[in-house]
Short mmCIF file of all heavy atoms in Angstrom, two decimals:
data_model
loop_
_atom_site.label_atom_id
_atom_site.label_comp_id
_atom_site.label_asym_id
_atom_site.label_seq_id
_atom_site.Cartn_x
_atom_site.Cartn_y
_atom_site.Cartn_z
N LEU A 1152 -33.99 -17.77 -51.50
CA LEU A 1152 -35.31 -18.26 -51.34
C LEU A 1152 -36.26 -17.27 -51.91
O LEU A 1152 -36.29 -16.10 -51.50
CB LEU A 1152 -35.63 -18.67 -49.95
CG LEU A 1152 -37.17 -19.11 -49.64
CD1 LEU A 1152 -37.33 -20.53 -50.40
CD2 LEU A 1152 -37.29 -19.24 -48.19
N LEU A 1153 -37.14 -17.68 -52.86
CA LEU A 1153 -38.12 -16.66 -53.52
C LEU A 1153 -39.44 -17.20 -52.93
O LEU A 1153 -39.86 -18.44 -53.04
CB LEU A 1153 -38.19 -16.68 -55.04
CG LEU A 1153 -36.85 -16.25 -55.77
CD1 LEU A 1153 -37.02 -16.52 -57.17
CD2 LEU A 1153 -36.43 -14.96 -55.31
N ILE A 1154 -40.30 -16.25 -52.41
CA ILE A 1154 -41.55 -16.57 -51.79
C ILE A 1154 -42.52 -15.60 -52.51
O ILE A 1154 -42.48 -14.37 -52.28
CB ILE A 1154 -41.51 -16.29 -50.20
CG1 ILE A 1154 -40.29 -17.09 -49.56
CG2 ILE A 1154 -42.92 -16.67 -49.59
CD1 ILE A 1154 -39.93 -16.58 -48.21
N VAL A 1155 -43.60 -16.18 -53.05
CA VAL A 1155 -44.68 -15.41 -53.68
C VAL A 1155 -45.53 -14.95 -52.68
O VAL A 1155 -46.22 -15.74 -51.85
CB VAL A 1155 -45.41 -16.17 -54.76
CG1 VAL A 1155 -46.43 -15.33 -55.36
CG2 VAL A 1155 -44.44 -16.72 -55.91
N GLU A 1156 -45.55 -13.60 -52.38
CA GLU A 1156 -46.31 -12.93 -51.31
C GLU A 1156 -47.83 -12.54 -51.72
O GLU A 1156 -48.56 -12.55 -50.89
CB GLU A 1156 -45.59 -11.72 -50.80
CG GLU A 1156 -44.25 -12.00 -50.28
CD GLU A 1156 -44.30 -12.42 -48.77
OE1 GLU A 1156 -45.20 -12.02 -48.08
OE2 GLU A 1156 -43.43 -13.16 -48.33
N GLU A 1157 -47.83 -12.13 -53.05
CA GLU A 1157 -49.13 -11.72 -53.66
C GLU A 1157 -49.34 -12.21 -54.93
O GLU A 1157 -48.34 -12.47 -55.71
CB GLU A 1157 -49.25 -10.16 -53.70
CG GLU A 1157 -49.23 -9.49 -52.36
CD GLU A 1157 -49.22 -7.91 -52.46
OE1 GLU A 1157 -49.69 -7.45 -53.39
OE2 GLU A 1157 -48.77 -7.36 -51.48
N GLY A 1158 -50.54 -12.53 -55.36
CA GLY A 1158 -50.78 -12.81 -56.76
C GLY A 1158 -51.37 -14.44 -56.81
O GLY A 1158 -51.53 -14.97 -55.78
N PRO A 1159 -51.60 -14.76 -58.10
CA PRO A 1159 -52.11 -16.20 -58.26
C PRO A 1159 -51.25 -17.26 -57.74
O PRO A 1159 -52.00 -18.33 -57.39
CB PRO A 1159 -52.24 -16.25 -59.75
CG PRO A 1159 -52.11 -14.90 -60.33
CD PRO A 1159 -51.35 -14.15 -59.28
N ASP A 1160 -50.04 -17.02 -57.54
CA ASP A 1160 -49.04 -18.18 -56.91
C ASP A 1160 -48.79 -17.95 -55.47
O ASP A 1160 -47.80 -18.54 -55.05
CB ASP A 1160 -47.88 -18.19 -57.80
CG ASP A 1160 -48.17 -18.56 -59.25
OD1 ASP A 1160 -48.60 -19.78 -59.49
OD2 ASP A 1160 -47.75 -17.79 -60.18
N LYS A 1161 -49.52 -17.06 -54.87
CA LYS A 1161 -49.32 -16.87 -53.51
C LYS A 1161 -48.95 -18.11 -52.55
O LYS A 1161 -49.79 -19.10 -52.75
CB LYS A 1161 -50.53 -16.04 -52.85
CG LYS A 1161 -50.10 -15.61 -51.33
CD LYS A 1161 -51.30 -14.84 -50.80
CE LYS A 1161 -51.02 -14.44 -49.44
NZ LYS A 1161 -52.08 -13.48 -48.85
N GLY A 1162 -47.84 -18.02 -51.84
CA GLY A 1162 -47.56 -19.15 -50.92
C GLY A 1162 -46.54 -20.07 -51.62
O GLY A 1162 -45.82 -20.82 -50.85
N ARG A 1163 -46.34 -20.00 -52.89
CA ARG A 1163 -45.32 -20.85 -53.50
C ARG A 1163 -43.95 -20.43 -53.23
O ARG A 1163 -43.75 -19.12 -53.03
CB ARG A 1163 -45.48 -20.86 -55.06
CG ARG A 1163 -46.80 -21.64 -55.55
CD ARG A 1163 -46.82 -21.92 -57.00
NE ARG A 1163 -45.60 -22.57 -57.56
CZ ARG A 1163 -45.01 -22.35 -58.76
NH1 ARG A 1163 -45.64 -21.40 -59.56
NH2 ARG A 1163 -43.89 -22.89 -59.09
N GLN A 1164 -42.93 -21.35 -53.15
CA GLN A 1164 -41.63 -20.92 -52.77
C GLN A 1164 -40.75 -21.64 -53.80
O GLN A 1164 -41.05 -22.71 -54.30
CB GLN A 1164 -41.28 -21.38 -51.44
CG GLN A 1164 -42.04 -20.68 -50.34
CD GLN A 1164 -41.65 -21.19 -48.94
OE1 GLN A 1164 -40.66 -21.80 -48.75
NE2 GLN A 1164 -42.42 -20.61 -47.95
N PHE A 1165 -39.53 -20.99 -53.99
CA PHE A 1165 -38.53 -21.57 -54.88
C PHE A 1165 -37.15 -21.22 -54.22
O PHE A 1165 -36.81 -20.22 -53.97
CB PHE A 1165 -38.52 -20.87 -56.34
CG PHE A 1165 -37.50 -21.37 -57.20
CD1 PHE A 1165 -37.47 -22.52 -57.80
CD2 PHE A 1165 -36.52 -20.33 -57.47
CE1 PHE A 1165 -36.41 -22.88 -58.72
CE2 PHE A 1165 -35.50 -20.78 -58.44
CZ PHE A 1165 -35.45 -22.02 -59.06
N ALA A 1166 -36.34 -22.26 -53.92
CA ALA A 1166 -35.05 -22.22 -53.48
C ALA A 1166 -34.03 -23.03 -54.48
O ALA A 1166 -34.48 -24.05 -55.07
CB ALA A 1166 -34.93 -22.92 -52.16
N THR A 1167 -32.87 -22.52 -54.62
CA THR A 1167 -32.00 -23.05 -55.57
C THR A 1167 -30.50 -22.80 -55.16
O THR A 1167 -30.25 -21.80 -54.43
CB THR A 1167 -32.23 -22.48 -57.02
OG1 THR A 1167 -31.35 -23.26 -57.88
CG2 THR A 1167 -31.92 -21.02 -57.17
N GLU A 1168 -29.62 -23.55 -55.70
CA GLU A 1168 -28.20 -23.36 -55.51
C GLU A 1168 -27.48 -22.97 -56.88
O GLU A 1168 -26.30 -22.89 -56.84
CB GLU A 1168 -27.58 -24.54 -54.88
CG GLU A 1168 -27.97 -24.83 -53.46
CD GLU A 1168 -27.37 -26.07 -52.83
OE1 GLU A 1168 -26.32 -26.44 -53.18
OE2 GLU A 1168 -28.09 -26.69 -52.05
N ALA A 1169 -28.41 -22.74 -57.88
CA ALA A 1169 -27.93 -22.54 -59.09
C ALA A 1169 -27.22 -21.20 -59.18
O ALA A 1169 -27.51 -20.28 -58.50
CB ALA A 1169 -29.04 -22.55 -60.17
N VAL A 1170 -26.26 -20.99 -60.03
CA VAL A 1170 -25.48 -19.78 -60.23
C VAL A 1170 -26.36 -18.75 -60.90
O VAL A 1170 -26.30 -17.49 -60.71
CB VAL A 1170 -24.17 -19.95 -61.09
CG1 VAL A 1170 -23.49 -18.75 -61.35
CG2 VAL A 1170 -23.26 -20.88 -60.41
N GLN A 1171 -27.21 -19.17 -61.84
CA GLN A 1171 -28.25 -18.38 -62.59
C GLN A 1171 -29.47 -19.00 -62.60
O GLN A 1171 -29.57 -20.19 -62.85
CB GLN A 1171 -27.69 -18.00 -64.03
CG GLN A 1171 -28.58 -17.02 -64.69
CD GLN A 1171 -28.12 -16.52 -65.99
OE1 GLN A 1171 -26.83 -16.32 -66.04
NE2 GLN A 1171 -28.89 -16.53 -67.03
N PHE A 1172 -30.54 -18.26 -62.42
CA PHE A 1172 -31.99 -18.88 -62.60
C PHE A 1172 -32.86 -17.75 -63.15
O PHE A 1172 -32.68 -16.62 -63.08
CB PHE A 1172 -32.45 -19.47 -61.43
CG PHE A 1172 -32.59 -18.56 -60.11
CD1 PHE A 1172 -33.65 -17.80 -59.91
CD2 PHE A 1172 -31.49 -18.44 -59.32
CE1 PHE A 1172 -33.66 -17.12 -58.72
CE2 PHE A 1172 -31.43 -17.62 -58.14
CZ PHE A 1172 -32.55 -16.90 -57.81
N ARG A 1173 -34.03 -18.25 -63.93
CA ARG A 1173 -34.94 -17.33 -64.55
C ARG A 1173 -36.32 -17.61 -64.05
O ARG A 1173 -36.67 -18.67 -63.62
CB ARG A 1173 -34.94 -17.65 -66.04
CG ARG A 1173 -33.66 -17.22 -66.77
CD ARG A 1173 -33.72 -17.46 -68.24
NE ARG A 1173 -32.38 -17.20 -68.80
CZ ARG A 1173 -32.17 -16.16 -69.68
NH1 ARG A 1173 -33.26 -15.49 -69.98
NH2 ARG A 1173 -31.07 -15.87 -70.09
N ILE A 1174 -37.06 -16.56 -64.02
CA ILE A 1174 -38.40 -16.55 -63.44
C ILE A 1174 -39.40 -16.02 -64.54
O ILE A 1174 -39.10 -14.96 -65.07
CB ILE A 1174 -38.55 -15.86 -62.13
CG1 ILE A 1174 -37.82 -16.53 -61.03
CG2 ILE A 1174 -40.03 -15.65 -61.60
CD1 ILE A 1174 -36.34 -16.05 -60.92
N GLY A 1175 -40.47 -16.62 -64.75
CA GLY A 1175 -41.39 -16.25 -65.72
C GLY A 1175 -42.49 -17.31 -66.03
O GLY A 1175 -42.55 -18.26 -65.28
N ARG A 1176 -43.22 -17.06 -67.24
CA ARG A 1176 -44.27 -18.11 -67.47
C ARG A 1176 -43.80 -19.28 -68.28
O ARG A 1176 -44.56 -20.22 -68.47
CB ARG A 1176 -45.32 -17.32 -68.28
CG ARG A 1176 -46.10 -16.32 -67.44
CD ARG A 1176 -47.28 -15.75 -68.08
NE ARG A 1176 -46.77 -14.89 -69.27
CZ ARG A 1176 -47.09 -15.14 -70.52
NH1 ARG A 1176 -47.85 -16.07 -70.98
NH2 ARG A 1176 -46.53 -14.26 -71.48
N ASP A 1177 -42.69 -19.18 -68.97
CA ASP A 1177 -42.27 -20.30 -69.86
C ASP A 1177 -41.71 -21.48 -69.08
O ASP A 1177 -40.65 -21.45 -68.60
CB ASP A 1177 -41.18 -19.73 -70.86
CG ASP A 1177 -41.00 -20.64 -72.12
OD1 ASP A 1177 -40.99 -21.85 -71.90
OD2 ASP A 1177 -40.80 -20.07 -73.09
N GLU A 1178 -42.29 -22.66 -69.27
CA GLU A 1178 -42.00 -23.83 -68.61
C GLU A 1178 -40.60 -24.47 -69.26
O GLU A 1178 -40.01 -25.13 -68.49
CB GLU A 1178 -43.10 -24.92 -68.76
CG GLU A 1178 -44.30 -24.59 -67.95
CD GLU A 1178 -45.46 -25.64 -68.04
OE1 GLU A 1178 -45.11 -26.66 -68.49
OE2 GLU A 1178 -46.55 -25.24 -67.63
N ASP A 1179 -40.27 -24.10 -70.46
CA ASP A 1179 -39.13 -24.60 -71.10
C ASP A 1179 -37.85 -23.85 -70.70
O ASP A 1179 -36.78 -24.52 -70.78
CB ASP A 1179 -39.36 -24.62 -72.68
CG ASP A 1179 -40.42 -25.52 -73.11
OD1 ASP A 1179 -40.63 -26.52 -72.56
OD2 ASP A 1179 -41.10 -25.18 -74.10
N THR A 1180 -37.97 -22.56 -70.40
CA THR A 1180 -36.76 -21.80 -70.20
C THR A 1180 -36.57 -21.32 -68.78
O THR A 1180 -35.65 -20.73 -68.32
CB THR A 1180 -36.70 -20.54 -71.17
OG1 THR A 1180 -37.81 -19.67 -70.95
CG2 THR A 1180 -36.63 -21.07 -72.57
N CYS A 1181 -37.69 -21.38 -67.94
CA CYS A 1181 -37.69 -20.86 -66.70
C CYS A 1181 -37.43 -21.79 -65.60
O CYS A 1181 -38.08 -22.94 -65.61
CB CYS A 1181 -38.93 -19.91 -66.28
SG CYS A 1181 -39.00 -18.54 -67.29
N ASP A 1182 -36.75 -21.48 -64.54
CA ASP A 1182 -36.54 -22.42 -63.39
C ASP A 1182 -37.68 -22.35 -62.50
O ASP A 1182 -38.03 -23.38 -61.71
CB ASP A 1182 -35.18 -22.08 -62.73
CG ASP A 1182 -34.06 -22.10 -63.85
OD1 ASP A 1182 -33.65 -23.15 -64.23
OD2 ASP A 1182 -33.53 -21.03 -64.09
N PHE A 1183 -38.09 -21.11 -62.32
CA PHE A 1183 -39.39 -21.03 -61.35
C PHE A 1183 -40.47 -20.39 -62.30
O PHE A 1183 -40.44 -19.35 -62.83
CB PHE A 1183 -38.95 -20.03 -60.19
CG PHE A 1183 -40.05 -19.68 -59.27
CD1 PHE A 1183 -40.86 -20.94 -58.89
CD2 PHE A 1183 -40.32 -18.57 -58.67
CE1 PHE A 1183 -41.90 -20.69 -57.83
CE2 PHE A 1183 -41.25 -18.46 -57.68
CZ PHE A 1183 -42.10 -19.43 -57.34
N VAL A 1184 -41.53 -21.28 -62.58
CA VAL A 1184 -42.53 -20.91 -63.45
C VAL A 1184 -43.81 -20.36 -62.70
O VAL A 1184 -44.26 -20.96 -61.78
CB VAL A 1184 -42.98 -22.17 -64.31
CG1 VAL A 1184 -44.15 -21.86 -65.29
CG2 VAL A 1184 -41.84 -22.69 -65.04
N LEU A 1185 -44.20 -19.15 -63.17
CA LEU A 1185 -45.41 -18.48 -62.60
C LEU A 1185 -46.51 -18.70 -63.43
O LEU A 1185 -46.44 -19.01 -64.60
CB LEU A 1185 -45.00 -17.07 -62.49
CG LEU A 1185 -43.89 -16.60 -61.55
CD1 LEU A 1185 -43.56 -15.14 -61.76
CD2 LEU A 1185 -44.27 -16.86 -60.12
N SER A 1186 -47.66 -18.57 -62.73
CA SER A 1186 -49.04 -18.85 -63.42
C SER A 1186 -49.12 -17.77 -64.55
O SER A 1186 -48.70 -16.72 -64.55
CB SER A 1186 -50.12 -18.53 -62.42
OG SER A 1186 -51.38 -18.56 -62.98
N ASP A 1187 -49.92 -18.25 -65.67
CA ASP A 1187 -50.07 -17.39 -66.81
C ASP A 1187 -51.42 -16.60 -66.66
O ASP A 1187 -51.84 -15.97 -67.62
CB ASP A 1187 -50.08 -18.16 -68.15
CG ASP A 1187 -51.07 -19.21 -68.14
OD1 ASP A 1187 -51.88 -19.34 -67.26
OD2 ASP A 1187 -51.17 -19.94 -69.16
N VAL A 1188 -52.00 -16.64 -65.44
CA VAL A 1188 -53.14 -15.81 -65.21
C VAL A 1188 -52.97 -14.30 -65.36
O VAL A 1188 -53.73 -13.64 -65.89
CB VAL A 1188 -53.82 -16.09 -63.79
CG1 VAL A 1188 -54.87 -15.18 -63.44
CG2 VAL A 1188 -54.19 -17.62 -63.64
N ASP A 1189 -51.81 -13.86 -64.90
CA ASP A 1189 -51.40 -12.48 -65.06
C ASP A 1189 -50.59 -12.36 -66.39
O ASP A 1189 -49.42 -12.75 -66.40
CB ASP A 1189 -50.48 -12.12 -63.91
CG ASP A 1189 -50.23 -10.62 -63.89
OD1 ASP A 1189 -50.39 -9.97 -64.97
OD2 ASP A 1189 -49.77 -10.16 -62.78
N SER A 1190 -51.28 -11.83 -67.48
CA SER A 1190 -50.66 -11.80 -68.71
C SER A 1190 -49.49 -10.71 -68.80
O SER A 1190 -48.84 -10.75 -69.85
CB SER A 1190 -51.70 -11.47 -69.85
OG SER A 1190 -52.34 -10.32 -69.48
N ALA A 1191 -49.33 -9.99 -67.84
CA ALA A 1191 -48.35 -8.94 -67.81
C ALA A 1191 -46.94 -9.48 -67.40
O ALA A 1191 -45.91 -8.94 -67.36
CB ALA A 1191 -48.66 -7.68 -67.00
N ILE A 1192 -47.11 -10.80 -66.79
CA ILE A 1192 -45.82 -11.56 -66.60
C ILE A 1192 -45.24 -12.18 -67.86
O ILE A 1192 -45.99 -12.90 -68.53
CB ILE A 1192 -46.06 -12.71 -65.54
CG1 ILE A 1192 -46.50 -11.94 -64.15
CG2 ILE A 1192 -44.67 -13.47 -65.35
CD1 ILE A 1192 -46.75 -13.02 -63.12
N SER A 1193 -44.01 -11.79 -68.20
CA SER A 1193 -43.51 -12.35 -69.52
C SER A 1193 -43.01 -13.72 -69.42
O SER A 1193 -42.83 -14.30 -68.29
CB SER A 1193 -42.19 -11.46 -69.90
OG SER A 1193 -42.59 -10.12 -70.15
N ARG A 1194 -42.88 -14.40 -70.59
CA ARG A 1194 -42.42 -15.71 -70.59
C ARG A 1194 -41.06 -15.80 -69.85
O ARG A 1194 -40.92 -16.83 -69.03
CB ARG A 1194 -42.18 -16.16 -72.08
CG ARG A 1194 -43.55 -16.41 -72.81
CD ARG A 1194 -43.27 -16.72 -74.15
NE ARG A 1194 -42.50 -15.77 -74.84
CZ ARG A 1194 -41.93 -15.92 -75.98
NH1 ARG A 1194 -41.85 -17.18 -76.55
NH2 ARG A 1194 -41.10 -14.95 -76.52
N GLU A 1195 -40.19 -14.86 -70.03
CA GLU A 1195 -38.86 -14.90 -69.25
C GLU A 1195 -38.94 -13.50 -68.64
O GLU A 1195 -38.56 -12.51 -69.26
CB GLU A 1195 -37.67 -15.03 -70.03
CG GLU A 1195 -37.55 -16.47 -70.59
CD GLU A 1195 -36.34 -16.72 -71.28
OE1 GLU A 1195 -35.33 -15.77 -71.35
OE2 GLU A 1195 -36.11 -17.85 -71.90
N HIS A 1196 -39.32 -13.35 -67.31
CA HIS A 1196 -39.62 -11.99 -66.73
C HIS A 1196 -38.29 -11.48 -66.12
O HIS A 1196 -37.89 -10.18 -66.45
CB HIS A 1196 -40.71 -11.96 -65.72
CG HIS A 1196 -41.35 -10.60 -65.63
ND1 HIS A 1196 -42.39 -10.28 -66.32
CD2 HIS A 1196 -40.89 -9.59 -64.93
CE1 HIS A 1196 -42.69 -9.08 -66.08
NE2 HIS A 1196 -41.78 -8.53 -65.12
N PHE A 1197 -37.53 -12.18 -65.40
CA PHE A 1197 -36.24 -11.76 -64.85
C PHE A 1197 -35.26 -12.85 -64.58
O PHE A 1197 -35.89 -14.01 -64.51
CB PHE A 1197 -36.47 -10.87 -63.60
CG PHE A 1197 -37.07 -11.53 -62.41
CD1 PHE A 1197 -36.09 -11.98 -61.43
CD2 PHE A 1197 -38.32 -11.67 -62.12
CE1 PHE A 1197 -36.56 -12.64 -60.27
CE2 PHE A 1197 -38.83 -12.18 -60.99
CZ PHE A 1197 -37.93 -12.70 -59.94
N ALA A 1198 -34.04 -12.57 -64.41
CA ALA A 1198 -33.03 -13.49 -64.04
C ALA A 1198 -32.33 -13.11 -62.77
O ALA A 1198 -32.29 -11.89 -62.54
CB ALA A 1198 -32.07 -13.71 -65.21
N VAL A 1199 -31.80 -13.99 -61.98
CA VAL A 1199 -30.96 -13.69 -60.90
C VAL A 1199 -29.65 -14.39 -61.13
O VAL A 1199 -29.63 -15.61 -61.48
CB VAL A 1199 -31.47 -14.10 -59.55
CG1 VAL A 1199 -30.62 -13.84 -58.48
CG2 VAL A 1199 -32.78 -13.34 -59.28
N ILE A 1200 -28.57 -13.60 -60.98
CA ILE A 1200 -27.25 -14.27 -61.36
C ILE A 1200 -26.35 -14.15 -59.95
O ILE A 1200 -26.32 -13.06 -59.48
CB ILE A 1200 -26.48 -13.41 -62.36
CG1 ILE A 1200 -27.36 -13.50 -63.66
CG2 ILE A 1200 -25.12 -14.06 -62.60
CD1 ILE A 1200 -27.00 -12.47 -64.72
N ARG A 1201 -25.90 -15.24 -59.57
CA ARG A 1201 -25.03 -15.37 -58.25
C ARG A 1201 -23.65 -14.86 -58.60
O ARG A 1201 -22.98 -15.39 -59.59
CB ARG A 1201 -25.09 -16.68 -57.62
CG ARG A 1201 -24.32 -16.80 -56.44
CD ARG A 1201 -24.30 -18.20 -55.86
NE ARG A 1201 -24.03 -18.18 -54.45
CZ ARG A 1201 -24.68 -18.57 -53.36
NH1 ARG A 1201 -25.87 -19.14 -53.70
NH2 ARG A 1201 -24.22 -18.46 -52.23
N ARG A 1202 -23.12 -14.08 -57.72
CA ARG A 1202 -21.77 -13.68 -57.83
C ARG A 1202 -21.20 -13.70 -56.37
O ARG A 1202 -21.27 -12.73 -55.61
CB ARG A 1202 -21.46 -12.19 -58.33
CG ARG A 1202 -22.00 -12.18 -59.86
CD ARG A 1202 -21.19 -11.17 -60.62
NE ARG A 1202 -21.72 -11.27 -62.00
CZ ARG A 1202 -22.22 -10.31 -62.66
NH1 ARG A 1202 -22.36 -9.04 -62.22
NH2 ARG A 1202 -22.52 -10.45 -64.01
N GLY A 1203 -20.54 -14.86 -56.00
CA GLY A 1203 -20.19 -15.03 -54.54
C GLY A 1203 -21.44 -15.08 -53.72
O GLY A 1203 -22.32 -16.00 -53.98
N ASP A 1204 -21.46 -14.24 -52.75
CA ASP A 1204 -22.70 -14.07 -51.92
C ASP A 1204 -23.58 -12.92 -52.20
O ASP A 1204 -24.47 -12.52 -51.55
CB ASP A 1204 -22.21 -13.92 -50.40
CG ASP A 1204 -22.01 -15.41 -49.81
OD1 ASP A 1204 -22.41 -16.38 -50.44
OD2 ASP A 1204 -21.29 -15.39 -48.68
N ALA A 1205 -23.36 -12.35 -53.52
CA ALA A 1205 -24.13 -11.29 -54.01
C ALA A 1205 -25.03 -11.85 -55.19
O ALA A 1205 -24.67 -12.76 -55.79
CB ALA A 1205 -23.30 -10.24 -54.58
N PHE A 1206 -26.26 -11.33 -55.17
CA PHE A 1206 -27.17 -11.74 -56.24
C PHE A 1206 -27.72 -10.54 -57.04
O PHE A 1206 -28.20 -9.60 -56.49
CB PHE A 1206 -28.47 -12.33 -55.45
CG PHE A 1206 -28.06 -13.67 -54.84
CD1 PHE A 1206 -27.48 -13.60 -53.54
CD2 PHE A 1206 -28.12 -14.81 -55.40
CE1 PHE A 1206 -27.20 -14.73 -52.84
CE2 PHE A 1206 -27.70 -16.07 -54.77
CZ PHE A 1206 -27.24 -15.94 -53.41
N LEU A 1207 -27.42 -10.70 -58.33
CA LEU A 1207 -27.82 -9.67 -59.39
C LEU A 1207 -29.12 -9.84 -59.98
O LEU A 1207 -29.25 -10.92 -60.60
CB LEU A 1207 -26.62 -9.51 -60.33
CG LEU A 1207 -26.80 -8.41 -61.45
CD1 LEU A 1207 -26.79 -7.05 -60.80
CD2 LEU A 1207 -25.82 -8.61 -62.58
N PHE A 1208 -30.01 -8.85 -59.90
CA PHE A 1208 -31.30 -8.99 -60.42
C PHE A 1208 -31.19 -8.42 -61.86
O PHE A 1208 -30.56 -7.26 -62.05
CB PHE A 1208 -32.26 -8.05 -59.71
CG PHE A 1208 -33.64 -7.92 -60.44
CD1 PHE A 1208 -34.69 -8.84 -60.26
CD2 PHE A 1208 -33.91 -6.76 -61.24
CE1 PHE A 1208 -35.90 -8.63 -60.92
CE2 PHE A 1208 -35.04 -6.57 -61.99
CZ PHE A 1208 -36.06 -7.47 -61.71
#
Side-chain angles (χ1 to χ4, degrees):
L1152 173 66
L1153 301 176
I1154 305 160
V1155 181
E1156 300 275 329
E1157 295 177 23
D1160 293 300
K1161 183 176 180 177
R1163 288 189 55 216
Q1164 298 184 7
F1165 174 73
T1167 184
E1168 295 179 30
V1170 173
Q1171 178 172 324
F1172 54 94
R1173 291 177 185 251
I1174 293 86
R1176 293 184 293 119
D1177 193 321
E1178 293 181 14
D1179 294 327
T1180 61
C1181 292
D1182 304 290
F1183 186 34
V1184 179
L1185 297 170
S1186 169
D1187 61 2
V1188 171
D1189 185 346
S1190 61
I1192 296 176
S1193 297
R1194 289 178 301 160
E1195 292 183 6
H1196 205 95
F1197 70 93
V1199 176
I1200 303 163
R1201 181 184 196 124
R1202 297 209 172 125
D1204 277 341
F1206 295 86
L1207 179 67
F1208 171 89

